[in-house]
Amino acid sequence: LKCSRLALDNLVGNFVHQLVVRVLCGVVYAYLIGAVCSIFTALERDRNEYFDSMDRLNEFLAEKTVTSTNPELCTVLRLFYRFSYAYERSSASLKQIMQKVSPTLQGQLSHQVHRKWLENFPLFKNVTLSMPFHIKLAMSLETMVVGPMEAIVEPYQIADKLYIIEKGIIMGKK
């Protein structure tokens, strides 16, 4: 009887020990999976924001019945969102970088990024531009994304801005 009692205590002790170890391993495994998932989510933050904004757009269009009454407008809006997502990421990144680096690096970076179009711009063709000018120019540029067939400037409108077409085609009327 003593032998069987000792074997039973040993068996119960091993079972409890194995159960505790398995539960702890499961908790650690779940924690690691959660940590890995959060890393991937953080890496794709911009992409997730884009999908969230696209979802909100689609919900709004459906709620206001734009989807059924004007599907062409929905298509244009979605294309605009797609294009602006890709383009605004790169321009926002430049401004963030420029705000964090030293003035010397700001000048070198803005010169490198804007050199090509500045050299071809007729107003600056035969002029040597200073680093402070490059910095002020780079920091003052604002990105504007325009959809297809959308007017940038109306005829006879007073021009108070200089538009630099970085990507795309512009058409004018005579």
Side-chain angles (χ1 to χ4, degrees), residues 82-99:
R82 234 179 262 143
F83 180 75
S84 64
Y85 159 72
Y87 188 74
E88 286 177 350
R89 276 187 15 191
S90 64
S91 63
S93 298
L94 176 62
K95 275 209 171 185
Q96 290 170 347
I97 293 168
M98 292 290 285
Q99 290 171 348

Side-chain angles (χ1 to χ4, degrees), residues 79-172:
L79 285 172
F80 178 81
Y81 264 65
R82 234 179 262 143
F83 180 75
S84 64
Y85 159 72
Y87 188 74
E88 286 177 350
R89 276 187 15 191
S90 64
S91 63
S93 298
L94 176 62
K95 275 209 171 185
Q96 290 170 347
I97 293 168
M98 292 290 285
Q99 290 171 348
K100 290 182 180 181
V101 297
S102 70
T104 303
L105 291 174
Q106 286 177 347
Q108 292 173 351
L109 180 60
S110 61
H111 177 73
Q112 184 64 40
V113 171
H114 301 295
R115 181 186 71 225
K116 190 174 182 178
W117 71 265
L118 279 171
E119 289 172 352
N120 294 324
F121 195 71
L123 185 63
F124 305 125
K125 197 96 172 152
N126 298 319
V127 178
T128 303
L129 302 173
S130 67
M131 283 297 179
F133 177 81
H134 277 279
I135 295 168
K136 284 189 182 207
L137 178 72
M139 297 304 280
S140 65
L141 288 175
E142 294 179 18
T143 300
M144 182 172 118
V145 179
V146 181
M149 303 306 290
E150 199 173 326
I152 298 172
V153 180
E154 295 295 327
Y156 306 108
Q157 179 182 354
I158 296 174
D160 62 344
K161 295 179 182 175
L162 171 68
Y163 294 94
I164 303 160
I165 311 301
E166 189 171 335
K167 184 176 182 181
I169 300 171
I170 189 167
M171 296 185 326

Side-chain angles (χ1 to χ4, degrees), residues 9-79:
D9 286 344
N10 212 6
L11 186 65
V12 169
N14 283 342
F15 175 74
V16 170
H17 180 272
Q18 286 178 0
L19 183 65
V20 168
V21 168
R22 286 183 182 177
V23 168
L24 284 175
C25 287
V27 168
V28 169
Y29 181 74
Y31 176 78
L32 290 175
I33 294 294
V36 168
C37 289
S38 69
I39 289 170
F40 283 115
T41 302
L43 288 175
E44 295 185 357
R45 187 177 333 125
D46 291 338
R47 189 167 180 244
N48 290 336
E49 285 177 14
Y50 162 72
F51 284 123
D52 287 343
S53 66
M54 187 65 87
D55 288 343
R56 283 191 300 275
L57 173 68
N58 288 330
E59 288 169 6
F60 175 81
L61 295 174
E63 179 183 308
K64 300 297 181 187
T65 66
V66 178
T67 307
S68 58
T69 57
N70 195 343
E72 290 139 10
L73 177 60
C74 295
T75 303
V76 170
L77 283 167
R78 289 180 186 116
L79 285 172

